[in-house]
Amino acid sequence: MKHKNTDADFQEGHVAQGAAAGLLAKVYATMASGSMTAGEEMIVKTGASYEFNNGEKVLVLPTSKTFKKTQVAGYESFDTKDCYTKAAQYAKDVMDGKYGSYDLLPYDELWKRSNYNKTEHMFMLQTLNNDEEYGNTIHRWFSGTENAQGLIQQGQWIGNRYHWYTLFDSKDYRITKGVKHRFRYSYQASDNYGFYYPNTPEYKLMATGYDENGNKVADPVAPYNDGVQYTFNVSSSTLAYSTKYSDVTDPTVERSDAYWPFLRYADIVLIYAEAMCELGSGVDSEAIKALNAIRARSNANPAVTSGNGAIDSKVALRSAIFEERAKELALEGDRRWDLIRWGLYLDVMNSIGGTNEDGTKTNYDEASVNKHRETKHLLFPIPSAEISTNDAIDSNNPGWS
């Protein structure tokens, strides 16, 4: 790669040396975690998504469960330590400015289009507003296409689950600012309704004036005091919808100019934290420092190594970094790959579900999405057109024939 992003002739929006080095750090971290022998432990918060209480479907808190990783098939020949050493070096070189200038943006600036392709967004999918070829439907899927009144008329189909929301400190910007707490669909206009999120005592009181026991104790407060009746239900209509893709030129068009973040500097910092954790024998101070850099930007409490909530072991630190990736990189296409490269995908996914009114267990989460996974889901199916036209391929991936 020829240019650094600090070179005079560098063109903004093009891939630079820093992005290439950052991608190498991720590749080596993938090889390292995938090749790590089976049995290493990871703590993940998971479990039943919902249950029934007096006939009402309610969300439940996740529980911490310890999983043992498996070695990823095909990665056995890689040297875990060597790969993590290279991941740490490439990540550190990016952080030290060897390949240009990169840094964490203040949270309020992070998801503004004016800051794309700059110090944090290292590699992005470029798009054009209302363009049939170069526009995309990212905003539609994650934020919803709006009508002239600002109501969601189509989309907002993908959001985070309540278990994800509960991972955060209460004042963390990634949920106070990074999640929609008030939104309305066009079908709610005629009855003057809207939704609030989440259904915690704090937000229920702000949005409705009712306490957790169902008593009216106050009037709704701003921004819920606009004359609209706000409610909540356990369904795909009320998830933790992200604000990451909200800033577009025109939210009313189907194909907008929402950019997709293929690689952010925050990802590189967390790769460095992971690599230093795995290269150390205990709780590595450099890993803690990198982890806290991400947390500080979002107003989260620092990770500590003594006192209440202390990270006191390598497994605890590994798990904290893994969880931080789930929080920081949510809805950016990383979680599935993180679970796969750690050999945890099947076990973690199959630990998610719900509890029906009759006490039976289900594989579905609160949004009625089936979370059950089988071995075949570790690989995607090869398109049938590719199989039929490529003489070198005589069968599909296992389980997809």
Side-chain angles (χ1 to χ4, degrees), residues 70-276:
T70 58
Q71 190 175 52
V72 177
Y75 284 59
E76 300 89 350
S77 63
F78 297 129
D79 184 316
T80 301
K81 183 177 180 180
D82 178 64
C83 288
Y84 265 131
T85 299
K86 290 175 179 174
Q89 189 60 62
Y90 275 113
K92 189 66 163 58
D93 285 345
V94 171
M95 294 162 65
D96 288 345
K98 180 177 179 179
Y99 299 107
S101 178
Y102 300 97
D103 205 351
L104 298 172
L105 285 164
Y107 189 85
D108 287 343
E109 304 297 319
L110 178 55
W111 296 105
K112 290 182 179 179
R113 293 179 61 254
S114 57
N115 287 319
Y116 290 171
N117 293 315
K118 301 195 189 309
T119 59
E120 178 150 2
H121 295 283
M122 303 172 71
F123 180 28
M124 304 195 80
L125 171 68
Q126 318 290 306
T127 60
L128 293 176
N129 180 63
N130 203 21
D131 188 288
E132 190 62 29
E133 184 174 4
Y134 296 112
N136 63 49
T137 57
I138 291 171
H139 177 267
R140 182 184 184 187
W141 280 80
F142 291 90
S143 301
T145 305
E146 299 176 3
N147 61 20
Q149 289 71 47
L151 306 183
I152 300 166
Q153 60 182 355
Q154 193 171 28
Q156 191 167 264
W157 295 312
I158 301 178
N160 289 299
R161 298 171 49 242
Y162 183 61
H163 279 188
W164 173 86
Y165 188 93
T166 62
L167 299 176
F168 294 86
D169 299 333
S170 62
K171 302 302 181 183
D172 194 311
Y173 294 150
R174 290 170 292 189
I175 57 169
T176 61
K177 300 179 180 183
V179 166
K180 290 186 179 183
H181 294 282
R182 169 179 166 268
F183 48 92
R184 301 181 68 199
Y185 296 94
S186 56
Y187 65 80
Q188 296 176 306
S190 59
D191 294 323
N192 201 36
Y193 274 83
F195 284 122
Y196 70 88
Y197 189 91
N199 192 32
T200 59
E202 176 189 9
Y203 277 94
K204 182 177 182 179
L205 181 62
M206 288 194 299
T208 70
Y210 286 84
D211 66 17
E212 56 187 313
N213 297 315
N215 300 311
K216 179 74 172 182
V217 296
D219 292 324
V221 299
Y224 306 101
N225 59 349
D226 57 357
V228 174
Q229 185 172 344
Y230 289 96
T231 185
F232 176 88
N233 64 35
V234 180
S235 72
S236 59
S237 296
T238 49
L239 297 173
Y241 294 111
S242 177
T243 60
K244 289 181 178 181
Y245 307 109
S246 296
D247 187 10
V248 293
T249 298
D250 185 355
T252 69
V253 300
E254 179 180 335
R255 302 185 73 85
S256 73
D257 53 357
Y259 282 22
W260 181 263
F262 280 119
L263 183 67
R264 283 201 288 129
Y265 180 71
D267 192 352
I268 304 307
V269 175
L270 289 172
I271 286 294
Y272 179 71
E274 176 185 326
M276 295 306 294

